[in-house]
Amino acid sequence: KQEVTQIPAALSVPEGENLVLNCSFTDSAIYNLQWFRQDPGKGLTSLLLIQSSQREQTSGRLNASLDKSSGRSTLYIAASQPGDSATYLCAVREAGGFKTIFGAGTRLFVKA
Amino acid sequence: EAEVAQSPRYKITEKSQAVAFWCDPISGHATLYWYRQILGQGPELLVQFQDESVVDDSQLPKDRFSAERLKGVDSTLKIQPAELGDSAMYLCASRDLGIQYFGAGTRLSVL
């Protein structure tokens, strides 16, 4: 059964710092992996989608990498800003059944 | 910009009552999902539709939950009777080109 784990559960950093959020999954048979942002009490906003054949995707200050064989993905945020404060979730879409499994998220707080 | 619409945003009900949530996906999106998110956890899939057909409802507690998407457009999720443990955020999403787009969710509180 696919399990998705995100470490750390919470992170507090000063503004301007570069940071890395980690996501690991137990079954490498995935279709794609998606990173989301969730503000308190709100829905999820898609940040980056990485297909299983890809190694990384970039959007602005965000870069996501995927190492399918080791079951890991990282989200790199450059030059963090207070507006980046939110919960970041990764979601794995399984190959075959196409079910999407979410991690519990990393709650990020960027201090001004 | 097109959005997934959900209503109501908040719902407070007493246990044993019936509740219903509505979702209107982005126009043209054939795949629609209902998720439940408990505070501090990631969303958990309840049901997935492809057009009007249910593709996956293995995690849906079918003794009390039902979902429909009659014309393959908007969808309704119903709980009857509601239990205290159903208190959560209920999220709807639709998918296009692999990307899932989420609505703002309905926060349900069962008293």
Side-chain angles (χ1 to χ4, degrees):
Chain A
K1 179 186 172 186
Q2 178 75 269
E3 292 182 1
V4 180
T5 304
Q6 291 189 247
I7 295 173
L11 182 63
S12 180
V13 299
E15 182 178 7
E17 192 162 298
N18 302 326
L19 57 99
V20 174
L21 307 181
N22 296 294
C23 172
S24 62
F25 46 96
T26 54
D27 187 343
S28 62
I30 67 169
Y31 187 73
N32 61 37
L33 184 145
Q34 195 166 358
W35 281 94
F36 294 89
R37 168 188 173 136
Q38 186 174 31
D39 292 291
K42 301 286 180 63
L44 282 67
T45 300
S46 178
L47 297 173
L48 290 164
L49 173 72
I50 312 177
Q51 302 293 349
S52 63
S53 58
Q54 297 175 322
R55 296 286 291 184
E56 65 177 346
Q57 283 287 336
T58 298
S59 176
R61 294 183 293 108
L62 305 179
N63 175 276
S65 67
L66 174 64
D67 184 343
K68 203 171 66 165
S69 61
S70 67
R72 292 181 191 171
S73 176
T74 61
L75 179 66
Y76 175 83
I77 303 177
S80 58
Q81 303 170 359
D84 294 332
S85 298
T87 297
Y88 291 81
L89 298 112
C90 72
V92 164
R93 190 169 168 215
E94 297 179 319
F98 295 109
K99 181 174 289 187
T100 300
I101 311 296
F102 279 82
T106 293
R107 195 163 54 187
L108 173 66
F109 180 62
V110 181
K111 298 172 286 187
Chain B
E1 185 175 317
E3 293 182 343
V4 176
Q6 286 190 249
S7 67
R9 286 296 315 277
Y10 306 93
K11 179 70 178 178
I12 300 174
T13 190
E14 294 183 347
K15 64 179 182 178
S16 80
Q17 296 298 304
V19 293
F21 313 131
W22 177 80
C23 172
D24 191 10
I26 294 172
S27 178
H29 288 193
T31 307
L32 183 148
Y33 307 84
W34 282 102
Y35 290 92
R36 175 170 61 187
Q37 186 178 27
I38 295 169
L39 196 63
Q41 299 182 18
E44 176 190 31
L45 179 69
L46 292 174
V47 61
Q48 177 182 341
F49 288 93
Q50 184 68 26
D51 299 308
E52 67 274 10
S53 300
V54 172
V55 198
D56 185 348
D57 63 357
S58 57
Q59 304 275 66
L60 189 71
K62 298 181 189 62
D63 57 334
R64 299 185 300 108
F65 286 63
S66 63
E68 60 182 15
R69 194 183 183 196
L70 292 177
K71 296 184 179 178
V73 181
D74 58 336
S75 176
T76 302
L77 178 69
K78 296 179 181 177
I79 308 175
Q80 182 174 18
E83 296 180 353
L84 296 178
D86 296 332
S87 294
M89 176 78 91
Y90 290 82
L91 294 162
C92 178
S94 62
R95 191 184 85 226
D96 182 52
L97 300 176
I99 298 175
Q100 293 194 34
Y101 299 88
F102 281 77
T106 296
R107 178 160 296 284
L108 173 66
S109 296
V110 182
L111 306 178

